[in-house]
Amino acid sequence: MYVYQSIAQSLCDHGFDTMFGLMGDANLFMVDHYVRSGGGTFVPVAFEGSAVLMALAHGRVSGRVGIATVTHGPALTNCVTALTEGARGRVPMVLLAGDTAVSNPQNLQNIDQRETVKVTGAGFEQMRSPETASYDVAHAIYRAQVEKRPIVLNMPVDFMWQEIEHTRHVFPAFNAPSHVPEGKDLDEAVGMIASARRPIILAGIGAKDAVAQITKLADRLEAPLATTLKAKGMFRDHPYNIDIFGTLSTPAAYDAIAKADCVIAFGTSLHHFTTDQGALMKNKRVVQVNNTVTEVAKNYHPDVALVADAGLTADNIVWWLNEAEIPASGFTAELDMDVLTAHPKGNPDKAKPGFVNFEYALDRLESALPRDRFLTTDGGRFMTEVWCRISCPNAESFIASTNFGSIGLGLQVAIGTGFAVPDRPVVLFTGDGGFMMGGINEFNTAVRMNQDLIVIVANDSAYGAEHIQFLDRNMDPGLSMFDWPSFARIATALGGHGVVVNSVESLEDAIRAIDTRDKPLLIELRLDPNDVPRMRI
């Protein structure tokens, strides 16, 4: 067996059936063997960074390690933003990157690939020799699982046609739940919770597997539930779910959070957007539960922290409350949930001719989009209204590509998600600048792959965040304005179906197109740049 065959076989040994990538001279034979002999699905992208983003989304949604491949040099540098997004999001994936032969230092595409990867926060694994190829693949996959970040496996091109004997290597990752805490820290945490009169429970995406236990604790305390942005939808069906905690809360929910005297936070690092830079934690006891010690006090120093499994800890707290016969707080009885969760309705008459009111369009889309949707969002000034007004079935059905603050990543994430949930529609909200940057590159990929994808482009003909800054300083925003082409026409030209929405009537046409779609659909919302809601973060 040749090395390129051994690498492909190693992926099959692990049961990986989907790989995203772009072929070049350093990985094309491996990809070919993976498809023709291994029976794997290869998703060819238009831009290398897209492969990483798709693999990140596919891995996160499927619960497995995402797999991507690119060739060497500029192919890898084109992945820097995507790798950083994955590293900051703590998403396990492996990028199989070719590398220039050591014997060819004058190759135009030769760079120090280890140093390139290091700046992103991703891990680097060097394929050491032809004989260790399968071991090195397995070890990279293992590292991705336990380190919870992308790992780049560096594959020298001069190894590929060397003959070896393939050995199967699959290393198990030991991910047993962390221990239940005990001792002084637990005593202090239980004491704070037991004495609270207005406790509130906050959960992040790190607690996604503990919904039942956390809900049981909330019911025992009669405490409302809230989530971080990444965990949006986690408690959607609970009667005392106040939705997103922090700067994205409704004004009434923000006031209710401010009145709380204890926050019990599970699986979150307490980012400053969540805490409103600490303002929402003032005059409160804060108990933080996280199974990763480096996430504790990363952004905010709690009064007590328990490095432990969320579900086991929630159950343990309930046991001690019952053992001590601590009465429920009664906080939920003070709350009017209809008021706490209501966002102001959009006004269709507010829009100028040729535009549609953004809030009204979102309200209509919320009721018209498929109920079993998987929701994804890009970055941009439009996004906070989307997060607040567009729901998702649960926390596992939502991804916001915002870990690095980049725009132009959303469509790639949506496509990767589609391969993980092929029986469900994927909905992406993106801005005009983000779609120009990364969406046009890959919309045809969704067409070629026949995905059930609905893309809503918020087109205000501007880079919105910069537009606002110019206006706030009474300056001419002209440099932030762009006369973009019609995204709806581009979508149609790329093989999908596009609809322009510039009135209430055309919005209804778009909604009918949702119901009759048989190919990737793009809905272009034409927005007045001076009438787009401000970001809430």
Side-chain angles (χ1 to χ4, degrees), residues 102-181:
V102 175
S103 60
N104 187 15
Q106 301 304 315
N107 188 303
L108 289 177
Q109 297 182 331
N110 185 34
I111 58 168
D112 188 332
Q113 300 203 161
R114 182 188 297 271
E115 293 301 313
T116 301
V117 171
K118 282 172 60 178
V119 300
T120 70
F124 185 87
E125 184 75 18
Q126 178 65 47
M127 187 169 287
R128 297 164 295 161
S129 70
E131 292 74 22
T132 63
S134 62
Y135 181 100
D136 296 334
V137 171
H139 189 61
I141 294 167
Y142 170 81
R143 284 186 59 193
Q145 293 176 85
V146 299
E147 296 176 25
K148 293 182 172 59
R149 62 172 176 163
I151 302 295
V152 176
L153 177 63
N154 208 51
M155 310 180 302
V157 66
D158 46 339
F159 286 3
M160 294 300 167
W161 283 92
Q162 296 194 36
E163 291 188 58
I164 58 164
E165 200 170 292
H166 176 76
T167 303
R168 186 180 187 274
H169 293 285
V170 177
F171 303 126
F174 303 102
N175 292 317
S178 307
H179 69 283
V180 178

Side-chain angles (χ1 to χ4, degrees), residues 446-461:
V447 173
R448 285 186 283 111
M449 298 293 109
N450 195 31
Q451 290 200 301
D452 187 1
L453 175 66
I454 303 169
V455 178
I456 295 97
V457 179
N459 182 11
D460 60 359
S461 299

Side-chain angles (χ1 to χ4, degrees), residues 25 174 202 212 238 241 486 498:
D25 59 341
F174 303 102
L202 167 64
H238 195 277
N241 169 35
S486 168

Side-chain angles (χ1 to χ4, degrees), residues 9-300:
Q9 183 59 49
S10 295
L11 298 177
C12 298
D13 291 344
H14 286 80
F16 292 120
D17 58 6
T18 305
M19 177 166 57
F20 304 85
L22 192 57
M23 290 191 298
D25 59 341
N27 68 343
L28 76 166
F29 301 112
M30 181 272 292
V31 172
D32 183 79
H33 189 77
Y34 174 76
V35 173
R36 298 186 190 279
S37 298
T41 297
F42 178 66
V43 182
V45 302
F47 179 76
E48 289 92 350
S50 301
V52 173
L53 293 166
M54 292 178 194
L56 289 169
H58 184 267
R60 178 184 153 180
V61 177
S62 67
R64 306 200 63 204
V65 175
I67 302 294
T69 185
V70 298
T71 188
H72 53 131
L76 182 62
T77 60
N78 282 344
C79 296
V80 166
T81 296
L83 287 170
T84 307
E85 172 75 11
R88 295 194 178 184
R90 304 187 70 240
V91 182
M93 66 88 58
V94 170
L95 174 61
L96 303 168
D99 194 12
T100 309
V102 175
S103 60
N104 187 15
Q106 301 304 315
N107 188 303
L108 289 177
Q109 297 182 331
N110 185 34
I111 58 168
D112 188 332
Q113 300 203 161
R114 182 188 297 271
E115 293 301 313
T116 301
V117 171
K118 282 172 60 178
V119 300
T120 70
F124 185 87
E125 184 75 18
Q126 178 65 47
M127 187 169 287
R128 297 164 295 161
S129 70
E131 292 74 22
T132 63
S134 62
Y135 181 100
D136 296 334
V137 171
H139 189 61
I141 294 167
Y142 170 81
R143 284 186 59 193
Q145 293 176 85
V146 299
E147 296 176 25
K148 293 182 172 59
R149 62 172 176 163
I151 302 295
V152 176
L153 177 63
N154 208 51
M155 310 180 302
V157 66
D158 46 339
F159 286 3
M160 294 300 167
W161 283 92
Q162 296 194 36
E163 291 188 58
I164 58 164
E165 200 170 292
H166 176 76
T167 303
R168 186 180 187 274
H169 293 285
V170 177
F171 303 126
F174 303 102
N175 292 317
S178 307
H179 69 283
V180 178
E182 57 184 24
K184 180 181 177 182
D185 289 341
L186 176 63
D187 293 343
E188 289 188 16
V190 173
M192 292 177 188
I193 295 168
S195 62
R197 300 278 66 86
R198 290 188 176 91
I200 187 169
I201 293 179
L202 167 64
I205 196 64
K208 65 181 178 62
D209 297 324
V211 174
Q213 298 96 319
I214 293 172
T215 300
K216 181 180 177 182
L217 174 61
D219 293 342
R220 173 63 178 80
L221 290 170
E222 294 183 4
L225 290 153
T227 72
T228 63
L229 170 63
K230 290 184 180 181
K232 173 182 169 64
M234 183 178 287
F235 305 115
R236 180 181 178 185
D237 297 325
H238 195 277
Y240 293 104
N241 169 35
I242 64 174
D243 205 24
I244 302 174
F245 185 110
T247 56
L248 296 173
S249 301
T250 66
Y254 189 98
D255 291 342
I257 295 168
K259 292 176 182 176
D261 59 2
C262 180
V263 175
I264 311 157
F266 292 92
T268 169
S269 62
L270 298 174
H271 191 274
H272 68 262
F273 288 148
T274 301
T275 68
D276 195 5
Q277 300 188 36
L280 280 173
M281 299 302 177
K282 288 182 179 178
N283 304 315
K284 297 176 180 62
R285 295 294 186 94
V286 178
V287 177
Q288 186 178 15
V289 181
N290 203 298
N291 64 0
T292 304
V293 68
T294 53
E295 295 298 297
V296 172
K298 179 179 180 180
N299 299 303
Y300 180 87

Side-chain angles (χ1 to χ4, degrees), residues 304-328:
V304 64
L306 305 176
V307 182
D309 177 77
L312 296 176
T313 303
D315 281 343
N316 197 29
I317 293 171
V318 169
W319 190 89
W320 281 110
L321 293 174
N322 291 339
E323 186 76 4
E325 299 182 351
I326 302 298

Side-chain angles (χ1 to χ4, degrees), residues 224-225 238-243 250 332 334-342:
L225 290 153
H238 195 277
Y240 293 104
N241 169 35
I242 64 174
D243 205 24
T250 66
T332 53
E334 302 177 23
L335 306 176
D336 185 333
M337 297 307 297
D338 290 335
V339 173
L340 284 180
T341 58

